[in-house]
PDB file of all heavy atoms in Angstrom:
ATOM      1  N   GLU A 269      73.247 -12.177 -81.939  1.00 98.00           N
ATOM      2  CA  GLU A 269      73.347 -10.873 -81.279  1.00 98.00           C
ATOM      3  C   GLU A 269      72.148  -9.968 -81.558  1.00 98.00           C
ATOM      4  O   GLU A 269      71.636  -9.294 -80.666  1.00 98.00           O
ATOM      5  CB  GLU A 269      74.618 -10.146 -81.744  1.00 98.00           C
ATOM      6  CG  GLU A 269      75.842 -10.559 -80.956  1.00 98.00           C
ATOM      7  CD  GLU A 269      77.075  -9.760 -81.361  1.00 98.00           C
ATOM      8  OE1 GLU A 269      77.037  -8.519 -81.276  1.00 98.00           O
ATOM      9  OE2 GLU A 269      78.072 -10.396 -81.759  1.00 98.00           O
ATOM     10  N   ALA A 270      71.679  -9.973 -82.824  1.00 98.00           N
ATOM     11  CA  ALA A 270      70.622  -9.032 -83.206  1.00 98.00           C
ATOM     12  C   ALA A 270      69.342  -9.292 -82.402  1.00 98.00           C
ATOM     13  O   ALA A 270      68.660  -8.339 -82.003  1.00 98.00           O
ATOM     14  CB  ALA A 270      70.351  -9.142 -84.701  1.00 98.00           C
ATOM     15  N   ARG A 271      69.017 -10.557 -82.177  1.00 98.00           N
ATOM     16  CA  ARG A 271      67.781 -10.845 -81.412  1.00 98.00           C
ATOM     17  C   ARG A 271      68.016 -10.749 -79.906  1.00 98.00           C
ATOM     18  O   ARG A 271      67.109 -10.435 -79.152  1.00 98.00           O
ATOM     19  CB  ARG A 271      67.240 -12.227 -81.770  1.00 98.00           C
ATOM     20  CG  ARG A 271      66.693 -12.322 -83.179  1.00 98.00           C
ATOM     21  CD  ARG A 271      66.020 -13.662 -83.411  1.00 98.00           C
ATOM     22  NE  ARG A 271      65.593 -13.808 -84.791  1.00 98.00           N
ATOM     23  CZ  ARG A 271      66.379 -14.225 -85.784  1.00 98.00           C
ATOM     24  NH1 ARG A 271      67.631 -14.571 -85.530  1.00 98.00           N
ATOM     25  NH2 ARG A 271      65.928 -14.314 -87.015  1.00 98.00           N
ATOM     26  N   LEU A 272      69.235 -11.084 -79.496  1.00 98.00           N
ATOM     27  CA  LEU A 272      69.517 -11.026 -78.055  1.00 98.00           C
ATOM     28  C   LEU A 272      69.583  -9.598 -77.529  1.00 98.00           C
ATOM     29  O   LEU A 272      69.219  -9.325 -76.384  1.00 98.00           O
ATOM     30  CB  LEU A 272      70.846 -11.724 -77.744  1.00 98.00           C
ATOM     31  CG  LEU A 272      70.821 -13.250 -77.665  1.00 98.00           C
ATOM     32  CD1 LEU A 272      72.245 -13.778 -77.534  1.00 98.00           C
ATOM     33  CD2 LEU A 272      69.973 -13.720 -76.486  1.00 98.00           C
ATOM     34  N   ALA A 273      70.060  -8.693 -78.381  1.00 98.00           N
ATOM     35  CA  ALA A 273      70.302  -7.318 -77.900  1.00 98.00           C
ATOM     36  C   ALA A 273      69.043  -6.679 -77.301  1.00 98.00           C
ATOM     37  O   ALA A 273      69.098  -6.170 -76.173  1.00 98.00           O
ATOM     38  CB  ALA A 273      70.884  -6.463 -79.021  1.00 98.00           C
ATOM     39  N   PRO A 274      67.887  -6.702 -77.995  1.00 98.00           N
ATOM     40  CA  PRO A 274      66.705  -6.085 -77.375  1.00 98.00           C
ATOM     41  C   PRO A 274      66.228  -6.834 -76.127  1.00 98.00           C
ATOM     42  O   PRO A 274      65.714  -6.208 -75.197  1.00 98.00           O
ATOM     43  CB  PRO A 274      65.641  -6.132 -78.484  1.00 98.00           C
ATOM     44  CG  PRO A 274      66.137  -7.107 -79.508  1.00 98.00           C
ATOM     45  CD  PRO A 274      67.621  -7.147 -79.391  1.00 98.00           C
ATOM     46  N   ILE A 275      66.412  -8.157 -76.124  1.00 98.00           N
ATOM     47  CA  ILE A 275      66.022  -8.924 -74.929  1.00 98.00           C
ATOM     48  C   ILE A 275      66.852  -8.456 -73.736  1.00 98.00           C
ATOM     49  O   ILE A 275      66.331  -8.139 -72.666  1.00 98.00           O
ATOM     50  CB  ILE A 275      66.244 -10.449 -75.145  1.00 98.00           C
ATOM     51  CG1 ILE A 275      65.360 -10.968 -76.274  1.00 98.00           C
ATOM     52  CG2 ILE A 275      66.000 -11.225 -73.849  1.00 98.00           C
ATOM     53  CD1 ILE A 275      65.634 -12.416 -76.663  1.00 98.00           C
ATOM     54  N   MET A 276      68.164  -8.389 -73.939  1.00 98.00           N
ATOM     55  CA  MET A 276      69.047  -8.019 -72.832  1.00 98.00           C
ATOM     56  C   MET A 276      68.895  -6.553 -72.457  1.00 98.00           C
ATOM     57  O   MET A 276      69.051  -6.181 -71.291  1.00 98.00           O
ATOM     58  CB  MET A 276      70.506  -8.362 -73.163  1.00 98.00           C
ATOM     59  CG  MET A 276      70.782  -9.856 -73.200  1.00 98.00           C
ATOM     60  SD  MET A 276      70.055 -10.750 -71.785  1.00 98.00           S
ATOM     61  CE  MET A 276      70.955 -10.032 -70.423  1.00 98.00           C
ATOM     62  N   ASN A 277      68.545  -5.744 -73.435  1.00 98.00           N
ATOM     63  CA  ASN A 277      68.284  -4.330 -73.112  1.00 98.00           C
ATOM     64  C   ASN A 277      67.117  -4.245 -72.129  1.00 98.00           C
ATOM     65  O   ASN A 277      67.170  -3.513 -71.134  1.00 98.00           O
ATOM     66  CB  ASN A 277      67.988  -3.553 -74.400  1.00 98.00           C
ATOM     67  CG  ASN A 277      67.885  -2.060 -74.127  1.00 98.00           C
ATOM     68  OD1 ASN A 277      68.842  -1.450 -73.653  1.00 98.00           O
ATOM     69  ND2 ASN A 277      66.716  -1.479 -74.361  1.00 98.00           N
ATOM     70  N   ALA A 278      66.069  -5.030 -72.405  1.00 98.00           N
ATOM     71  CA  ALA A 278      64.900  -5.022 -71.510  1.00 98.00           C
ATOM     72  C   ALA A 278      65.271  -5.560 -70.129  1.00 98.00           C
ATOM     73  O   ALA A 278      64.860  -5.008 -69.097  1.00 98.00           O
ATOM     74  CB  ALA A 278      63.770  -5.852 -72.123  1.00 98.00           C
ATOM     75  N   VAL A 279      66.076  -6.609 -70.118  1.00 98.00           N
ATOM     76  CA  VAL A 279      66.489  -7.209 -68.836  1.00 98.00           C
ATOM     77  C   VAL A 279      67.314  -6.203 -68.030  1.00 98.00           C
ATOM     78  O   VAL A 279      67.104  -6.000 -66.823  1.00 98.00           O
ATOM     79  CB  VAL A 279      67.298  -8.512 -69.090  1.00 98.00           C
ATOM     80  CG1 VAL A 279      67.982  -8.997 -67.822  1.00 98.00           C
ATOM     81  CG2 VAL A 279      66.391  -9.597 -69.666  1.00 98.00           C
ATOM     82  N   ILE A 280      68.271  -5.575 -68.712  1.00 98.00           N
ATOM     83  CA  ILE A 280      69.165  -4.626 -68.024  1.00 98.00           C
ATOM     84  C   ILE A 280      68.370  -3.424 -67.512  1.00 98.00           C
ATOM     85  O   ILE A 280      68.531  -2.984 -66.363  1.00 98.00           O
ATOM     86  CB  ILE A 280      70.303  -4.189 -68.975  1.00 98.00           C
ATOM     87  CG1 ILE A 280      71.264  -5.369 -69.199  1.00 98.00           C
ATOM     88  CG2 ILE A 280      71.053  -2.976 -68.421  1.00 98.00           C
ATOM     89  CD1 ILE A 280      72.242  -5.182 -70.348  1.00 98.00           C
ATOM     90  N   GLU A 281      67.455  -2.926 -68.351  1.00 98.00           N
ATOM     91  CA  GLU A 281      66.680  -1.751 -67.917  1.00 98.00           C
ATOM     92  C   GLU A 281      65.759  -2.105 -66.740  1.00 98.00           C
ATOM     93  O   GLU A 281      65.582  -1.297 -65.824  1.00 98.00           O
ATOM     94  CB  GLU A 281      65.889  -1.173 -69.103  1.00 98.00           C
ATOM     95  CG  GLU A 281      66.837  -0.510 -70.099  1.00 98.00           C
ATOM     96  CD  GLU A 281      66.136   0.338 -71.145  1.00 98.00           C
ATOM     97  OE1 GLU A 281      64.891   0.284 -71.240  1.00 98.00           O
ATOM     98  OE2 GLU A 281      66.851   1.070 -71.860  1.00 98.00           O
TER      99      GLU A 281
END
Side-chain angles (χ1 to χ4, degrees):
E269 276 184 57
R271 291 187 185 84
L272 280 173
I275 297 173
M276 290 314 296
N277 187 60
V279 168
I280 290 167
E281 289 192 350

